[in-house]
Amino acid sequence: AYKEDKENRNERRNAIRDMKKEMKNIDNALEKLKPKAVDIQNEIENSSDEGWTVLAELTEELDVVNEQIDEKELRWLELAEALEESAAEELV
């Protein structure tokens, strides 16, 4: 029983470490994506005289970046919740 408990603890510890690592990677990605979204937004605001095609391309690019941000933030929240549950299980 002790060996199984130790294996379970190691598995849980590894899973927690992996989740924290993924959260850190998401944080790093968001640090790059958010300024990119702001840059594109500024480009949109400054390109009003460049025509609709440029505006449409920039808007589409902004939509893609915002979608990536939303996906990463959602995943981060899922991981945070899973970590919270893991921590609660450790207390039981």
Side-chain angles (χ1 to χ4, degrees), residues 15-44:
I16 288 170
R17 188 187 64 230
D18 290 346
M19 284 189 273
K20 286 181 178 179
K21 186 177 178 184
E22 187 177 349
M23 288 175 79
K24 179 89 175 114
N25 289 340
I26 291 171
D27 283 337
N28 291 339
L30 286 171
E31 282 179 26
K32 293 176 183 148
L33 284 171
K34 287 184 177 183
K36 186 175 181 180
V38 170
D39 289 345
I40 296 169
Q41 185 62 49
N42 289 337
E43 239 181 292
I44 289 171

Side-chain angles (χ1 to χ4, degrees), residues 3-4 6 16 28-29 35-36 38-39 47 49 59 72 74 78 86 88:
K3 188 175 181 184
E4 287 176 19
K6 188 175 181 185
I16 288 170
N28 291 339
K36 186 175 181 180
V38 170
D39 289 345
S47 69
D49 55 349
T59 303
K72 291 192 182 308
L74 182 62
E78 290 169 354
S86 293

Side-chain angles (χ1 to χ4, degrees), residues 60-73:
E60 189 174 319
E61 193 179 335
L62 182 60
D63 289 345
V64 168
V65 170
N66 282 333
E67 193 173 303
Q68 290 173 341
I69 290 170
D70 289 346
E71 287 172 6
K72 291 192 182 308
E73 287 177 339

Side-chain angles (χ1 to χ4, degrees), residues 1-15 90:
Y2 175 75
K3 188 175 181 184
E4 287 176 19
D5 287 345
K6 188 175 181 185
E7 284 178 17
N8 286 340
R9 280 197 309 272
N10 283 340
E11 272 183 38
R12 192 171 23 236
R13 200 175 302 127
N14 288 341
E90 297 265 327

